[in-house]
Every structure is written in C-alpha cells, then in structure tokens.
C-alpha cells in the first residue's frame, strides 16, 4: 500500500520537529503580515472618508450656503456623537469573537454612507449621511486595533499598531491631496464618491480571506457594557489617558478640520493647492511621526513603562509653540514650513496612546478598551474641537473680520497644555494598572 501524503507529511514532521516548527512560524508571519496589510488598507480608507470633509468645506459652504458653525457640525459633533457612542456596544459585539464580521460590515456600511454624502442636495441630507458614516466607522478603529493586537505578540504590538495608524495618516493626506485635486476638477461630490468605491471590495476580501481570531473566554458572554467600562475606568492610568488625550485632541482635531479652509481664506489658494502643499507636508510629517512614535514608545517603555504616558504629553507641549507660530505667519511658504514640525510633534502621541490602551485593557477587553478610549477622544476631541472652532469663528467675525478663524484656532489649540498635565498625572499608577490588566 502506498502511504498517503498526509501520513508521509506527518512522519516527516515527527522526524523533523524543528523544520515543522520553523514552517509553522513562517506561515504565521506571512499570515500576520497579510492581516496587517489588509487592515492598514482599511485604515487608509477610513481616514480618507472621515476627513475628506475638511478639503471640501469651502466648496460645501459656497454651494449649500452654510455657516462655519454648520461646517464644524459636519466634521465635529455631527460625526463624533454617533461614532463615539456606538463604538462601545459595537466593540462589545466584536470582543465576543466576531471581529472580522464586525469590521467587514462596518466598512461596507460607512462606504455606502460616504457615497450618500456626495449625493446630498441639502445640508440636512448631508448631515444625516455624515451621521451614517460615523455609525459605520464606530466599528472601525477599535476592531482594527483589537485584530492587530491578537495577531502580533506584545513586544511588536506598538510597532504594528503604529503601522496601521501611519497608513491611516496616508488616508488623511489622500483626503487633502487627492481629494483637493478631485474638488478642483470634478467638484466636491466626486471627492466623496472616490472614497466610497474601494470599501465594498475590501470588505469582501476581509470577510473571505481572514478567519476570526480565537478569543479566550469572550467577554460578551460574561460582562455587560457598563461592567466592562467600570473595570477599565477603575484603572487610574486608563482614565487619565482618556481624559488627558481627549482634551489635547480638542486642539488637534480643530487644526486638522480647519487648516485647509484657513489656508484657502488667508492665502487665497485653491483646494488642489492646499492638497499639494499642506496635504503633502502634513502627510509626510504624520507618517514620520507615527513610525517614530511607535518605535520610540516601544524603546522607551522597555526602560520605564511610564514613558507610554510621558511621551504623548510631551509631544503636545512641544506642538503648541509651532502651532501658534504657524497661525501667525503672513507668508504661505513660511506657514507650510511650520506644518512639518507642528504635525510631527502632535503626531508622536498617537501610537503610544493606542498601544497603551491595549496594554491597559487586557486580552478580554481589547476592542472595548479601544472603543471606550475613542468614546472619550472623539466625543470630546472630534466633537468639541471643530464645532467649537466654527462657533468661535462666527463670534469673532464681528471684531476680527478676516482673522476670525485664525483667532478661533489659536484659542482652541491652547487645550494642548491642559491635556498634557492630566496625562502626566496618570503615570503614578501606570505600572500597577498594567499588571492588573494582565491578570483580569
């Protein structure tokens, strides 16, 4: 009788266990790289669809005859409230062992809503579509981070998540550069349509090629949302990270949402000029910051875990003077030169913060922890920052005139210092909180 291939392979594997182990490790690495590449592509699309509204703001303002306050609502509360509130229950569903399903469905849904943004013929219709984008993306980042965290071991987690965030930064750059070019050639509606097309294709690819990761003792079977949230918020370092970074992101989301419109108004340039100048500089600086931030966080945390909080706090303190200097420039070239250090400094905060959330959440609450973190940062930062800036700009118009938006952006950016102080205060219990998360 001729032995079967499976039997022969089994004998070969048993006779050479080292080769078998090396083969399994190699296949595991290939699988991890594939998942990282796919999730990173989804992250790019996620950030494009979220932030394309910044580059089309001036066109929407002119076409639909809306105020700065209403524009701020589109990029702020109109997106952030639904996104932040729904992220926690969706993450709980994801933590029950349905991460691939959650991300696939969420991606397909927010892509549909992005297309509806382009089809909107009035401000109420556009606002409703943006609410839909927020609902879909609520299942995005928390699940992406959890999926990557389950794929990579702890020592590589910060770097892997930083890659996802870096590619997300490329999505922001694409929203400014590619989106700006599309606006000038085909109009603001086409910029939304361009962001909607790849979503269903990526959703099908994820659903069909990636298996659900095994989650030991899925939390959804044991704990409710409130119980899980209370467990996380009892960890002081987690709470201070959420509150402190949320305050900082009031300023950073205000800058991200309003800088394209500010440059168009202050220097009288077009959307494509903003994209090729600011968009490219900001994108490269963001990518550099994400790469350096992830590696630097992993390196410093090995010496002292408290650097996971100190680094985000320090990055915003350094970013503030560059932000003020940027807003004071009367020369476009000088302003664009300051975009690089301003963006790089603030961007260093993101990878260590995301990685620390995963460490402070523990294996059972990864997606829930990420969603709760995003509930704080997006509801407060994304919700308040752009909306407050728009409202203050409308108020300042009466006595600052053309400089109203600049004054509003400078005022809101001062939140960096307050948030940094809050984060630093959480370092005292950080090590004990991480140990607690590992046990539960």
């Amino acid at each position: 009788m001729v032995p079967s291939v499976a039997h022969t392979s089994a004998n070969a594997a048993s006779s050479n266990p080292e080769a078998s182990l090396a083969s399994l490790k190699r296949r595991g690495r290939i699988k991890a790289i594939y998942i990282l590449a796919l999730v990173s592509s989804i992250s790019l699309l996620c950030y494009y669809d979220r932030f394309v509204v910044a580059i089309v703001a001036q066109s929407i303002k002119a076409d639909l005859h809306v105020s700065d306050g209403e524009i701020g609502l589109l990029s702020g509360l109109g997106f952030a409230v639904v996104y932040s509130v729904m992220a926690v229950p969706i993450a709980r569903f994801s933590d029950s062992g349905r991460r691939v399903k959650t991300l696939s469905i969420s991606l397909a849904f927010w892509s549909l809503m992005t297309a509806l943004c382009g089809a909107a013929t009035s401000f109420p219709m556009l606002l409703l579509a943006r609410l839909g984008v927020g609902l879909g993306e609520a299942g995005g980042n928390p699940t992406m981070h959890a999926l990557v965290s389950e794929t990579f071991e702890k020592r590589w987690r910060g770097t892997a998540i930083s890659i996802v965030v870096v590619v997300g930064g490329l999505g922001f750059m694409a929203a400014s550069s590619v989106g700006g070019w599309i606006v000038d050639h085909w109009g603001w509606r086409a910029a939304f349509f361009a962001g909607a097309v790849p979503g269903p294709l990526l959703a099908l690819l994820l659903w069909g090629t990636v298996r659900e990761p095994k989650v030991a003792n899925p939390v959804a079977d044991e704990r409710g949302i409130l119980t899980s949230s209370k467990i996380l918020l009892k960890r002081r370092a987690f709470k201070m990270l959420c509150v402190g970074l949320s305050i900082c992101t009031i300023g950073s989301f205000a800058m991200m949402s309003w800088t394209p419109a500010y440059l168009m108004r202050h220097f009288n340039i077009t959307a494509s000029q903003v994209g090729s100048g600011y968009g490219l500089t900001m994108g490269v600086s963001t990518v550099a910051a994400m790469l350096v931030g992830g590696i630097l966080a992993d390196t410093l945390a090995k010496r002292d875990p408290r650097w996971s909080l100190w680094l985000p706090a320090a990055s915003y303190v350094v970013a503030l003077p560059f932000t003020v200097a940027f807003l004071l420039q009367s020369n476009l070239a000088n302003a664009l030169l300051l975009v690089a250090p301003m963006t790089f400094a603030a961007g260093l905060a993101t990878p260590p913060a995301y990685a620390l959330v995963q460490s402070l959440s523990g294996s059972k609450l990864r997606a829930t922890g990420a969603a709760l973190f995003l509930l704080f940062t997006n509801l407060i930062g994304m919700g308040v920052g752009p909306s407050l800036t728009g409202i203050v700009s409308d108020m300042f118009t009466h006595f600052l005139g053309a400089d109203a938006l600049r004054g509003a952006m400078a005022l809101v950016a001062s939140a960096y210092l307050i948030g940094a102080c809050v984060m630093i205060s959480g370092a005292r219990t950080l090590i004990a909180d991480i140990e607690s998360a590992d046990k539960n």
Side-chain angles (χ1 to χ4, degrees):
M1 179 182 291
V2 179
S4 68
V5 174
H7 183 68
T8 304
S9 299
N11 286 339
S14 61
S15 63
N16 193 353
E18 292 183 1
S20 177
L21 181 60
S23 176
L24 287 173
K25 287 182 177 180
R26 184 166 56 253
R27 281 181 288 177
R29 286 195 295 268
I30 293 172
K31 174 187 174 183
I33 292 170
Y34 172 76
I35 292 174
L36 181 61
L38 183 55
V39 171
S40 296
S41 300
I42 296 171
S43 178
L44 186 152
L45 188 62
C46 175
Y47 279 84
Y48 177 97
D49 291 345
R50 186 183 309 177
F51 290 111
V52 70
V53 71
I55 199 68
V56 302
Q58 280 296 100
S59 299
I60 291 174
K61 183 179 175 70
D63 189 21
L64 300 183
H65 307 291
V66 297
S67 67
D68 281 352
E70 289 172 316
I71 291 293
L73 190 61
L74 288 176
S75 56
L77 283 174
F79 177 94
V81 170
V82 175
Y83 176 83
S84 304
V85 172
M86 293 306 299
V88 176
I90 293 175
R92 181 173 178 267
F93 179 81
S94 172
D95 273 337
S96 67
R98 302 182 182 94
R99 285 171 182 160
V100 172
K101 292 182 178 66
T102 300
L103 185 55
S104 301
I105 295 170
S106 297
L107 171 57
F109 184 78
W110 91 59
S111 296
L112 172 62
M113 293 297 106
T114 300
L116 291 179
C117 285
T121 56
S122 66
F123 178 77
M125 289 177 63
L126 182 56
L127 180 59
L128 285 173
R130 280 294 288 175
L131 291 171
V133 176
L135 176 60
E137 290 200 8
N141 274 334
T143 306
M144 283 188 272
H145 294 171
L147 188 56
V148 170
S149 294
E150 292 295 335
T151 303
F152 288 85
E153 56 187 273
K154 188 174 182 179
R155 65 191 178 115
W156 296 110
R157 191 173 296 150
T159 302
I161 290 177
S162 73
I163 291 173
V164 175
V165 179
V166 163
V167 179
L170 291 177
F172 186 92
M173 181 174 67
S176 297
S177 55
V178 178
W181 185 86
I182 293 173
V183 169
D184 282 353
H185 288 80
W186 290 298
W188 64 269
R189 299 180 187 280
F192 281 114
F193 294 144
V197 171
L201 301 176
L202 287 173
L204 287 172
L205 189 61
L206 177 67
W207 186 287
T209 63
V210 178
R211 291 182 179 180
E212 293 285 0
K214 293 181 180 180
V215 180
N217 301 319
V219 67
D221 294 336
E222 306 169 3
R223 302 165 177 168
I225 297 173
L226 291 178
T227 301
S228 299
S229 299
K230 287 179 181 177
I231 290 171
L232 291 165
L233 292 174
K234 282 182 180 178
R235 296 165 190 163
R236 186 174 183 275
F238 181 88
K239 183 164 53 181
M240 292 300 100
L241 173 64
C242 289
V243 174
L245 202 73
S246 297
I247 296 172
C248 287
T249 53
I250 289 175
S252 61
F253 275 117
M255 293 300 297
M256 284 190 291
S257 299
W258 283 105
T259 294
Y262 165 73
L263 291 172
M264 290 181 214
R265 296 181 195 181
H266 193 68
F267 297 105
N268 195 28
I269 58 178
T270 66
S272 59
Q273 287 175 315
V274 170
S276 60
Y278 165 73
L280 181 61
T281 304
M282 179 276 304
V284 172
S285 301
T286 299
V287 168
M290 297 304 175
L291 288 172
V292 173
I295 296 170
L296 187 60
D298 284 345
T299 302
L300 292 175
K302 291 175 184 176
R303 300 180 181 179
D304 190 328
R306 290 174 294 181
W307 271 109
S308 298
L309 269 174
W310 292 339
L311 181 58
S315 71
Y316 280 110
V317 173
V318 173
L320 183 57
F322 287 115
T323 302
V324 174
F326 163 77
L327 292 170
L328 291 175
Q329 296 305 308
S330 57
N331 179 275
L332 177 60
N334 291 338
L336 291 178
L337 282 175
L338 286 165
V339 167
M342 174 182 75
T343 306
F344 180 82
L348 285 174
T350 306
Y354 281 154
L356 182 57
V357 166
Q358 295 297 311
S359 296
L360 286 168
S361 299
S363 61
K364 293 183 180 180
L365 296 175
R366 293 201 194 282
T368 304
L372 189 60
F373 171 72
L374 292 174
L375 173 64
F376 276 88
T377 57
N378 290 315
L379 189 59
I380 298 174
M382 188 189 301
V384 174
S387 301
L388 178 62
T389 304
I391 293 169
V392 173
S393 177
D394 287 339
M395 294 171 58
F396 281 5
T397 300
H398 298 294
F399 54 93
L400 289 181
D403 286 331
L405 181 56
R406 172 161 55 177
M409 291 170 71
L411 178 64
V412 176
S414 64
Y416 286 171
L417 288 179
I418 302 172
C421 291
V422 174
M423 279 190 282
I424 291 172
S425 72
R428 179 167 53 85
T429 62
L430 178 62
I431 296 174
D433 287 338
I434 291 175
E435 291 174 353
S436 173
D438 289 337
K439 294 176 183 178
N440 296 302

